[in-house]
Amino acid sequence: MTSSVPKSVPQFYNQQWATVQGINDYNLFLIMFEPALQYSYSLLGQLRGKKLLEVGCGSGQQAVWFASQGSQVTAIDVSDKSVHSTQWAAKEHNVKLVARRMDAAQLQFPAETFDLIYLNSVLMHVNHSTVLKECARVLNPGGKIVIVEPLRSNPLLRIYRRFFSPYAKMNPQYLTLRQFQQFPAQVGFSGMEHREFSFLALAALPFYHLFSDQRKARALSSPLEKADTALLKLVPLLHPWCWVTVVQYQK
């Protein structure tokens, strides 16, 4: 099978998951996105007995959590090391799941296989429409897909991503909120819900990445995240300028 993902992507993640430092760096990323992730989990609803596909399973932490909640998890990634890390994490936490190397643009599953599909920071590496169409194909009628994804528009983020982000070498194609709003008509989903996170809380980003001071970062980000909740309700025009969006589509 020929992958539709640029070679730099599996190479980058193979290197990341091969070292303890790489996994720790990813765990830091999960901490930075924690409010968005917690909200995304709430959108999934009751997991027990549900067939869940995680596209882009990373270190396996989220796949393990889904499995611990009683879902039947299938986790895929283009990185061999990611698959191995996920299998190891499942063994360490004594949960059952299936982890496979697979290209998200060519899902090797029959139509209408899964009740839920989850993606975290995947679309920036792939052909957006192709992957979402494949997700729609393997999703059961009435099923839903939940997506956590960094947004493109904020100019401060663009500076950070160009000069400081370790992901820059993969040339990620970040999406706008407007693109997410257009996907239901393009792909065949029936509707969209979304919520954005980290407008003011972006001020904590240097402490996470550049200064490696999680204590200061959390002390700063926590009140700013609370302020963001109020601010984004009052000023909807700020939503496209946030760091991350959580999107739910229904089939």
Side-chain angles (χ1 to χ4, degrees):
M1 179 182 69
T2 302
S3 175
S4 63
V5 179
K7 289 182 179 179
S8 59
V9 174
Q11 288 173 351
F12 176 90
Y13 286 110
N14 279 339
Q15 292 174 359
Q16 182 168 33
W17 308 132
T19 66
V20 173
Q21 181 60 47
I23 293 174
N24 288 340
D25 288 345
Y26 180 74
N27 292 342
L28 176 60
F29 163 81
L30 293 181
I31 292 171
M32 290 189 292
F33 273 25
E34 187 172 358
L37 295 176
Q38 292 301 321
Y39 177 69
S40 73
Y41 300 155
S42 73
L43 293 178
L44 291 171
Q46 175 58 250
L47 292 178
R48 184 162 300 279
K50 298 293 181 64
K51 294 181 178 180
L52 184 149
L53 172 65
E54 183 181 11
V55 177
C57 51
S59 64
Q61 279 199 34
Q62 292 181 279
V64 165
W65 186 83
F66 297 144
S68 74
Q69 302 303 300
S71 61
Q72 301 172 40
V73 176
T74 301
I76 67 167
D77 205 289
V78 292
S79 162
D80 292 315
K81 294 293 185 182
S82 175
V83 172
H84 295 157
S85 178
T86 300
Q87 291 169 338
W88 178 86
K91 184 177 180 180
E92 283 291 299
H93 291 84
N94 196 29
V95 298
K96 293 182 178 181
L97 56 79
V98 175
R100 298 174 57 184
R101 185 183 183 280
M102 192 180 299
D103 186 346
Q106 303 172 52
L107 295 176
Q108 299 168 43
F109 305 111
E112 300 180 2
T113 297
F114 298 99
D115 304 305
L116 299 166
I117 301 178
Y118 188 87
L119 298 87
N120 181 359
S121 303
V122 170
L123 294 180
M124 63 185 184
H125 297 310
V126 298
N127 184 294
H128 320 126
S129 296
T130 300
V131 168
L132 289 177
K133 285 177 182 177
E134 274 292 272
C135 288
R137 181 183 66 81
V138 303
L139 191 63
N140 285 329
K144 57 187 173 183
I145 176 171
V146 174
I147 302 166
V148 182
E149 193 74 17
L151 291 173
R152 184 173 77 196
S153 299
N154 191 295
L156 294 178
L157 274 175
R158 291 186 181 186
I159 295 171
Y160 164 75
R161 286 165 175 163
R162 180 173 180 179
F163 295 104
F164 302 107
S165 173
Y167 299 102
K169 63 184 70 176
M170 293 182 286
N171 192 31
Q173 302 299 305
Y174 296 102
L175 290 159
T176 65
L177 188 56
R178 182 174 179 81
Q179 285 176 288
F180 277 106
Q181 292 167 335
Q182 294 171 340
F183 281 139
Q186 296 173 359
V187 176
F189 294 116
S190 62
M192 171 187 175
E193 295 181 22
H194 65 96
R195 180 176 167 185
E196 283 64 58
F197 294 82
S198 295
F199 178 73
L200 297 175
L202 272 171
L205 179 59
F207 291 95
Y208 279 120
H209 261 302
L210 303 183
F211 307 137
S212 300
D213 191 332
Q214 290 189 35
R215 183 181 60 82
K216 287 185 178 179
R218 284 188 156 185
L220 179 60
S221 63
S222 182
L224 290 177
E225 286 158 1
K226 293 178 181 178
D228 275 336
T229 300
L231 179 63
L232 292 171
K233 286 182 180 179
L234 289 173
V235 191
L237 290 175
L238 294 177
H239 283 239
W241 305 96
C242 290
W243 185 3
V244 60
T245 186
V246 178
V247 175
Q248 174 186 283
Y249 296 126
Q250 196 91 17
K251 182 175 178 180

